[in-house]
Amino acid sequence: MFNLVIFGPPGAGKGTQSEKIIDKYKLVHLSTGDMFRSHISNDTELGKRVKEILADGRLVPDSITIDMLEEEVKNNPEAEGFIFDGFPRTVPQAEALDAFLEGKGSKVDLVLQLDVDQNVIKERIAERQKVSGRADDDAVKLLKRIDEYFDKTIHVLPYYQEQGKVTTLNGVGKIDDIFEAICGAIDEKH
Ligand code: AMP
């Protein structure tokens, strides 16, 4: 089993690169943002609870997020490994993931950090919003999401750095060039 955390601010290219990684490495892509959006569009109980939070660009409470993520992992018993995209976003989430994987005799093998400048993020998300129409991609909500990233999520990095698991890659450039660098980092550990 090979488990990868893809890490970076909103607009770093986590979703785009995850799609390419799953094709090549046959991992299951688990994006907590996609899961929440699917709950919201299906109007589930969970969707109703988190709708406002997502619309505001705030983080969903850890307990809700962790339970949902673990459920999805359990729904994929045949998986050869996972890409965790947008999770963990807080240190308690990272601790919960470690404990959960350990219980399955597994672990996080690699944390890929996509390093992207704040100005590039803002430009990319403005472009994405034209296509995605995501309410939380508007300029005000985006600032909130960037705040949440630098306030809470960034602390996840030292947590994994202490475990010697982080590889940092430049997330600016051609999609295929970034992907090649990602493959290099994965192949070293795979
Ligand atoms: P994303 O698609 O990863 O940008 O996530 C969209 C939104 O979903 C975030 O702004 C949060 O409101 C929520 N979300 C996604 N993943 C998490 C997480 N791991 N912890 C808390 N909230 C999350």
Side-chain angles (χ1 to χ4, degrees), residues 9-189:
K14 302 188 293 293
T16 305
Q17 294 296 341
S18 293
E19 289 306 320
K20 295 176 77 72
I21 298 167
I22 53 173
D23 264 3
K24 179 161 178 185
Y25 294 96
K26 309 292 169 226
L27 305 175
V28 173
H29 179 202
L30 296 185
S31 154
T32 40
D34 285 351
M35 289 176 210
F36 284 130
R37 281 185 288 278
S38 155
H39 275 283
I40 291 168
S41 58
N42 293 321
D43 207 24
T44 66
E45 279 311 308
L46 175 59
K48 288 179 191 144
R49 285 170 71 192
V50 302
K51 192 173 177 175
E52 298 267 293
I53 300 176
L54 262 84
D56 280 352
R58 287 177 287 128
L59 291 187
V60 174
D62 285 336
S63 59
I64 296 179
T65 309
I66 292 164
D67 286 353
M68 177 183 74
L69 190 275
E70 292 184 357
E71 201 55 43
E72 273 307 306
V73 171
K74 287 181 196 151
N75 285 342
N76 286 280
E78 307 296 326
E80 290 173 27
F82 295 93
I83 303 182
F84 299 101
D85 165 7
F87 183 95
R89 259 177 159 100
T90 65
V91 172
Q93 290 181 15
E95 289 167 346
L97 181 62
D98 274 354
F100 177 65
L101 290 177
E102 199 182 320
K104 294 164 62 67
S106 186
K107 63 179 182 350
V108 169
D109 293 284
L110 174 64
V111 178
L112 270 180
Q113 180 198 10
L114 294 178
D115 193 22
V116 180
D117 179 85
Q118 284 212 27
N119 291 326
V120 176
I121 297 170
K122 288 177 190 162
E123 281 165 25
R124 280 189 186 171
I125 296 215
E127 281 304 308
R128 178 169 84 187
Q129 202 199 16
K130 291 183 196 156
V131 187
S132 74
R134 274 177 56 174
D136 63 345
D137 277 350
D138 85 30
V140 177
K141 302 297 162 50
L142 173 62
L143 286 183
K144 179 74 206 158
R145 289 164 61 210
I146 293 177
D147 273 0
E148 289 284 66
Y149 178 79
F150 286 104
D151 185 32
K152 299 179 184 130
T153 306
I154 199 76
H155 304 297
V156 172
L157 264 189
Y159 174 87
Y160 285 124
Q161 272 158 346
E162 275 167 26
Q163 301 182 18
K165 291 184 176 167
V166 179
T167 298
T168 301
L169 298 173
N170 181 4
V172 183
K174 291 208 189 91
I175 290 177
D176 286 338
D177 293 344
I178 298 168
F179 181 60
E180 212 180 297
I182 288 177
C183 293
I186 295 176
D187 292 341
E188 256 180 43
K189 302 241 177 176

